[in-house]
Amino acid sequence: DGKQGWFQTHKIPYQHPGIDEPAILGVAVDITERKQTEEILKENENKYRALVDLAVDGILLGSHDGIITDANESMCEIIGMSKGQFIGKHISILPFTEKTLMKNPLRFDLLQKGEVVLNEREFVHQDGYTVIVEMRSKMMPDGTYQSIFRDITKRKKAEKELKETNDRLKSIFRAAPTGIGVVKERVFIEVNPKICEMTGYRQEELVGQNARILYGNQEEYDFVGEEKYRQISKKGTGIVETRWRKKDGTIIDVLLASTPIDFNDLNEGITFIALDITKSKVGEEEIKSKNEELIKLNAEKDKFFSIIAHDLRNPFMGFLGFTEILKSDIHKLSLDELVEIADNMNKDAKNLFSLLTNLLDWSLSQRGLTVFNPDRLNLKEITELCIDHFRENANNKGISLSIDMQDNIFVTADKSMLNSIIRNLVSNAIKFTNKGDKIIITCKKAEGKMLFSVKDTGIGMSEDLQKGLFKIDNRTTREGTNEEPSTGLGLLLCKEFLEKNNGEIWVISSVGNGSEFIFSLPLA
C-alpha cells in the first residue's frame, strides 16, 4: 500500500534442494509499532529532561538508600557545587548546616512509608553565604526518591524585614509624643500610651469603650462625630478642635486629626491623632494662628499615617493571610497552589518594599537629610539600567516597554534622585496600563534643557485627578489595572527631587487615552 515500516530481519546461509547456487533464508518481523513506541518514549524522555533542566527549583534524584543519582543545573547553582562533586555519593554530602540536620534530620523512614517529607533547610554555599531552601521529598514506586529544593532565601529575608518593619511601626505607635488611636464605630480599638497620659485612663479602661467616655456632654460628642465624618467624606481627613474630660474630671482642649483605614468603607475604622492644646489656648488670636499652623503641619502627618493605616496595612493583611494558609494547610496544598501563594507573597513583598522605599526617601527629604551630589550623567545609560528592573513586570502584564533616545545626551543631576524619578514614573506607567498597551520612553533637547518623556497608552486620568497630583494635601491614590496599590507618594518624590535638580515635571492625559509624564533637567 506504499506505507513505510520497520522490520527486524534474521538471515542464514541456505542450500535449496535442486539449486546449485547458495541461497539465503530470511525471516522478517514487523516492528513498526515497537519503533514508534520507542520514538515516543525517547521524545517524552527528552521533554522530561528539558523540563528538569529548565526548572528554577533544584531537583535531586536518588536511590532508596540515599545515594544521589542525578540533579539539574538549578540544584548545582543553589548549593554552589558541580554534579561531579555529589552525584554517586550519599545525600549527606550536601553542605547542610549542622543546625539544620539537628533540627530536621533526614527521614528516609518516612519516605519508605510513602509520606511526602517537607521542611526548611539551610545550606552553606561554596561562596560562604547561607541559602535557605524548602525541601520536598517523596519515594517513587521503584524505590528511588525525588527531592525538590526551592530557594526561599529572599522570601525569608522579606518575611524578616516585614516583621522588623511591623515591629518598628508598633514602636513608633508606642513611643509617639502625640496621642494615636484607632476607633471603629467610635469605639476605641487601640490607643497608645500618650492617649492614656493625656486622659488619665489606663489602656484597658479605654479599649472597648465608646469615645463618649471622654466628652463632657452629648452635644459635643455628637458635634465631633458629625464634623469629623463630614470632612472625611469631603476631603479624606477630618480635623476638629474639641474638649475632653479626663478621668479626674479635668477638662483639656484637644485637636483631633482623623483619617479612615479604608476610604471605601468607613466602617473599617478611623485612625486619629490627638494633640493636647490646652496650654496653647491663651487668646483667640493665638488659637487661630496655632490652628492654621497645625492644619498645615498635620496635612503631612495625615498623609504619613494614612499610608501606615491603609496602604501599608492592607498588603500586610494579604501577606499575613497567605502565611496563615501556609501554616495551617501547607501539607494539603499542591505544588501549583504553593507556587501561586509564593507568587502572591512575592508580589505583596515587592509592593511593600516599593512603598517603604518611597516612605523612607520622602521622610529623609522632608527632614532635609537627603544628600545632594549633582554630576554629569549619561541619560540613556541611567535609563536602561532603571528599565531593566521593570522588564519582567512589563512582560508579566503583556506590556511593550521601549526606549528611543540618543546615546550622547548628558545632564547635570544627582544620580540617586534621577534613578528614583525614572523608576517611579515607569512603575506608574506599568501600573496603569493594560495588557497589549505600550510604554515609550523618549527624550529630546530643547533650549538648553533635556525633556524626558514616559508615555503610555493606558487608562489615562481625569482633569480632577490631574489637579491633585504632586500635592501632599490631596490624596490621588487609585488601584492599578491589576489591583496594584498606589499612594501618590512617588510623584511627590519626583517633584521634590526635580526641584532640587533645577527641573520641572508635568503631565498630559485624558481618560482612556493614556498618560505622558514629562520632566526637564539642565543639559550638562
Side-chain angles (χ1 to χ4, degrees):
D1 59 3
K3 294 181 181 178
Q4 292 187 342
W6 286 89
F7 289 84
Q8 185 179 61
T9 63
H10 301 268
K11 301 180 179 69
I12 57 173
Y14 173 68
Q15 187 69 46
H16 191 74
I19 299 177
D20 295 333
E21 295 295 328
I24 294 175
L25 178 64
V27 178
V29 180
D30 187 346
I31 60 169
T32 304
E33 186 175 345
R34 190 189 81 191
K35 292 293 289 185
Q36 289 173 343
T37 302
E38 290 174 354
E39 289 295 328
I40 292 172
L41 289 173
K42 183 178 180 181
E43 182 180 349
N44 288 340
E45 183 179 356
N46 290 337
K47 288 180 180 178
Y48 168 76
R49 171 51 62 183
L51 183 62
V52 169
D53 290 339
L54 287 172
V56 176
D57 294 334
I59 298 176
L60 200 69
L61 307 179
S63 63
H64 70 282
D65 53 358
I67 302 300
I68 301 170
T69 58
D70 199 3
N72 66 350
E73 289 301 323
S74 293
M75 187 67 205
C76 298
E77 292 174 5
I78 289 173
I79 60 177
M81 297 174 67
S82 66
K83 291 183 181 180
Q85 292 178 281
F86 58 84
I87 288 181
K89 300 177 182 178
H90 194 268
I91 191 173
S92 59
I93 193 67
L94 299 181
F96 295 108
T97 63
E98 184 177 348
K99 179 178 69 175
T100 284
L101 291 177
M102 289 181 63
K103 183 178 179 181
N104 294 308
L106 300 171
R107 298 299 304 271
F108 287 100
D109 56 327
L110 297 180
L111 290 175
Q112 290 168 359
K113 293 178 181 179
E115 296 184 24
V116 175
V117 180
L118 176 67
N119 48 47
E120 291 182 6
R121 297 189 180 279
E122 292 183 353
F123 288 113
V124 178
H125 194 275
Q126 289 288 311
D127 293 337
Y129 59 85
T130 300
V131 179
I132 305 174
V133 300
E134 185 179 75
M135 179 180 174
R136 180 187 292 268
S137 302
K138 181 176 177 59
M139 190 75 76
M140 297 294 104
D142 61 358
T144 62
Y145 71 86
Q146 295 182 1
S147 295
I148 297 176
F149 294 77
R150 173 159 294 172
D151 188 343
I152 58 171
T153 309
K154 292 182 179 178
R155 190 188 84 191
K156 298 297 288 186
K157 181 181 178 182
E159 290 173 355
K160 181 182 178 183
E161 290 174 349
L162 286 171
K163 182 181 181 303
E164 291 173 350
T165 299
N166 193 34
D167 291 342
R168 283 196 293 271
L169 292 174
K170 288 181 179 178
S171 69
I172 292 172
F173 184 79
R174 292 192 300 268
T178 56
I180 304 174
V182 178
V183 293
K184 189 172 184 180
E185 296 180 354
R186 304 200 73 183
V187 173
F188 291 114
I189 304 301
E190 290 182 81
V191 293
N192 73 340
K194 186 63 179 179
I195 293 287
C196 298
E197 180 186 327
M198 289 172 58
T199 64
Y201 287 97
R202 299 192 308 275
Q203 191 175 42
E204 55 268 26
E205 291 177 311
L206 288 176
V207 173
Q209 292 291 326
N210 191 284
R212 176 69 176 82
I213 192 175
L214 296 180
Y215 291 89
N217 56 69
Q218 186 69 33
E219 183 180 358
E220 182 70 8
Y221 170 78
D222 292 339
F223 164 75
V224 171
E226 292 170 4
E227 181 62 17
K228 175 176 65 178
Y229 283 103
R230 184 189 69 79
Q231 292 185 31
I232 287 174
S233 63
K234 185 177 180 181
K235 60 180 181 179
T237 58
I239 299 175
V240 183
E241 186 178 315
T242 187
R243 309 189 84 188
W244 278 359
R245 183 179 60 190
K246 298 174 62 173
K247 186 177 180 179
D248 62 6
T250 305
I251 302 297
I252 61 173
D253 292 289
V254 178
L255 185 71
L256 294 175
S258 306
T259 187
I261 293 174
D262 185 346
F263 280 85
N264 298 315
D265 186 1
L266 299 185
N267 292 325
E268 286 297 314
I270 302 290
T271 299
F272 69 89
I273 300 172
L275 296 175
D276 185 346
I277 58 172
T278 306
K279 294 181 180 179
S280 302
K281 296 187 69 69
V282 178
E284 195 63 33
E285 289 301 318
E286 185 178 353
I287 292 172
K288 182 179 178 181
S289 175
K290 290 291 182 182
N291 281 345
E292 290 176 353
E293 182 181 351
L294 286 169
I295 289 171
K296 182 179 178 181
L297 291 175
N298 275 304
E300 294 186 3
K301 289 183 181 179
D302 290 344
K303 181 71 175 179
F304 178 75
F305 283 105
S306 171
I307 292 170
I308 292 176
H310 177 256
D311 298 287
L312 193 55
R313 183 185 179 116
N314 282 354
F316 265 122
M317 294 302 291
F319 196 93
L320 289 172
F322 287 122
T323 60
E324 287 294 327
I325 294 173
L326 290 176
K327 178 181 177 182
S328 60
D329 297 324
I330 192 166
H331 295 294
K332 304 175 185 177
L333 298 172
S334 67
L335 181 58
D336 288 341
E337 289 171 328
L338 287 171
V339 169
E340 182 180 358
I341 290 174
D343 286 342
N344 286 321
M345 291 178 71
N346 181 258
K347 178 182 176 182
D348 284 346
K350 286 179 178 178
N351 289 333
L352 284 167
F353 179 76
S354 175
L355 174 58
L356 290 173
T357 299
N358 278 342
L359 277 172
L360 177 60
D361 289 343
W362 180 73
S363 175
L364 293 174
S365 175
Q366 295 304 302
R367 290 183 289 156
L369 300 179
T370 304
V371 179
F372 180 59
N373 292 316
D375 200 358
R376 185 175 186 269
L377 304 174
N378 185 311
L379 190 59
K380 187 172 184 180
E381 289 182 1
I382 295 289
T383 303
E384 287 178 339
L385 288 174
C386 287
I387 297 307
D388 284 343
H389 295 290
F390 293 99
R391 293 206 178 277
E392 183 179 355
N393 286 348
N395 290 337
N396 288 340
K397 287 190 73 173
I399 295 168
S400 169
L401 181 59
S402 62
I403 303 174
D404 183 12
M405 62 176 66
Q406 299 176 3
D407 295 326
N408 59 347
I409 296 181
F410 290 85
V411 295
T412 300
D414 179 277
K415 184 176 181 180
S416 177
M417 291 183 181
L418 183 56
N419 274 324
S420 179
I421 293 165
I422 296 174
R423 283 200 309 270
N424 273 295
L425 292 181
V426 175
S427 175
N428 278 353
I430 294 173
K431 192 177 297 180
F432 298 108
T433 304
N434 289 305
K435 182 177 181 180
D437 284 337
K438 299 178 181 179
I439 299 173
I440 302 175
I441 300 170
T442 61
C443 71
K444 63 180 179 180
K445 299 176 183 178
E447 300 178 356
K449 295 182 179 181
M450 179 283 307
L451 298 182
F452 189 100
S453 165
V454 178
K455 185 175 183 179
D456 64 66
T457 58
I459 60 177
M461 65 185 84
S462 65
E463 289 186 12
D464 288 341
L465 191 59
Q466 293 178 54
K467 291 176 182 177
L469 300 178
F470 314 116
K471 295 180 181 178
I472 186 64
D473 55 346
N474 279 38
R475 185 175 178 84
T476 57
T477 62
R478 59 173 176 169
E479 286 189 342
T481 56
N482 214 14
E483 298 183 353
E484 301 98 327
S486 172
T487 65
L489 198 57
L491 290 178
L492 291 174
L493 279 174
C494 290
K495 183 175 183 293
E496 291 194 18
F497 286 168
L498 282 165
E499 288 175 350
K500 289 181 182 291
N501 287 274
N502 298 316
E504 297 179 281
I505 185 169
W506 61 95
V507 63
I508 301 171
S509 181
S510 61
V511 176
N513 295 313
S515 301
E516 181 179 13
F517 282 85
I518 306 167
F519 68 82
S520 65
L521 281 175
L523 288 168

